[in-house]
Amino acid sequence: MLAKVFSAFRQVGEDLFHQGLISATAGNFSVRTKEGFLITRSGVQKAHLTPEDLVEVPLEGPIPQGASVESVIHREVYRKTPARAIVHAHPRVAVALSLHLRSLVPLDLEGQFYLKEVPVLSPKTVSATEEAARAVAEALGAHRACLLRGHGAFTWSGKEKPEEALLEAYSLMTTLEESAEILFYHRLWEKG
């Protein structure tokens, strides 16, 4: 099972980078385990993950050294939602739109079906804090994705098998960015 999980981590890291949804060491993603969750190590090249680049984080107690700085957000989402996997990335168009919108409402059929609405959150701190963690967990209790204004997006999956959940959370991230691009082009066209 661990081989399948690592294979999914490696695939998601490569795909996020090659799709331009993260820069080399940005973003993070995780899967739920019996005792907590497995998350990418802070600062590693996501397109070239090794098994040593994954860190087990408990749901209670201190976050292990080396774990992603966003572990605090992942932990809160796992505590408050049925998430089995979480992907955090920096999709460029979606992040640009987050600077101007209160929520992203997809115009395209796929976005409407899978995402419906993506809230844009504006806590005072938008990265690696308890405040951001509470805001994201609350939003993901009602939505499949959310955006932190000017920072990035979080998506989640509740699929039972961790490797399938991680791949679905990644898929939702690509849907979010595609919906953001369509919305952006539509608004450009309207302005003529």
Side-chain angles (χ1 to χ4, degrees), residues 50-51 59 77 88 172 175 177:
T50 67
L59 284 183
V77 173
H88 169 55
L172 289 169
T175 299
E177 181 65 349

Side-chain angles (χ1 to χ4, degrees), residues 74-83 133-134 136-138 140-141:
H74 289 247
R75 177 188 270 177
E76 190 68 8
V77 173
Y78 286 124
R79 286 177 176 164
K80 304 285 172 138
T81 74
R134 285 190 299 275
V136 170
E138 182 179 337
L140 294 183

Side-chain angles (χ1 to χ4, degrees), residues 105-181:
V105 180
L107 300 175
D108 61 300
L109 186 62
E110 186 176 11
Q112 289 174 356
F113 182 78
Y114 288 108
L115 300 172
K116 297 180 182 32
E117 179 182 10
V118 180
V120 176
L121 313 176
S122 299
K124 289 181 184 173
T125 55
V126 294
S127 180
T129 65
E130 292 290 340
E131 178 188 27
R134 285 190 299 275
V136 170
E138 182 179 337
L140 294 183
H143 302 275
R144 300 296 305 277
C146 69
L147 282 155
L148 282 168
R149 189 175 308 280
H151 173 64
F154 285 86
T155 57
W156 68 274
S157 169
K159 287 196 172 203
E160 189 62 33
K161 291 184 179 177
E163 63 276 11
E164 291 176 7
L166 187 57
L167 292 173
E168 182 179 58
Y170 161 73
S171 179
L172 289 169
M173 188 64 70
T174 65
T175 299
L176 170 58
E177 181 65 349
E178 183 174 85
S179 293
E181 290 176 12

Side-chain angles (χ1 to χ4, degrees), residues 5-28:
V5 170
F6 173 68
S7 179
F9 266 92
R10 191 180 66 229
Q11 179 183 340
V12 168
E14 289 173 2
D15 289 351
L16 284 169
F17 176 72
H18 292 296
Q19 290 292 323
L21 298 171
I22 58 171
S23 57
T25 60
N28 42 75

Side-chain angles (χ1 to χ4, degrees), residues 32-117:
R32 187 81 160 82
T33 62
K34 287 182 182 179
E35 303 298 319
F37 57 97
L38 200 59
I39 193 166
T40 48
R41 189 175 293 282
S42 185
V44 297
Q45 298 270 336
K46 303 306 185 301
H48 304 286
L49 290 175
T50 67
E52 293 75 31
D53 294 329
L54 305 180
V55 179
E56 179 94 26
V57 177
L59 284 183
E60 302 294 335
I63 292 175
Q65 187 173 12
S68 170
V69 297
E70 300 287 13
S71 292
V72 64
I73 294 178
H74 289 247
R75 177 188 270 177
E76 190 68 8
V77 173
Y78 286 124
R79 286 177 176 164
K80 304 285 172 138
T81 74
R84 305 289 298 165
I86 301 165
V87 170
H88 169 55
H90 305 146
R92 292 175 175 106
V93 177
V95 170
L97 289 176
S98 80
L99 297 169
H100 304 282
L101 302 174
R102 296 182 70 178
S103 69
L104 190 152
V105 180
L107 300 175
D108 61 300
L109 186 62
E110 186 176 11
Q112 289 174 356
F113 182 78
Y114 288 108
L115 300 172
K116 297 180 182 32
E117 179 182 10

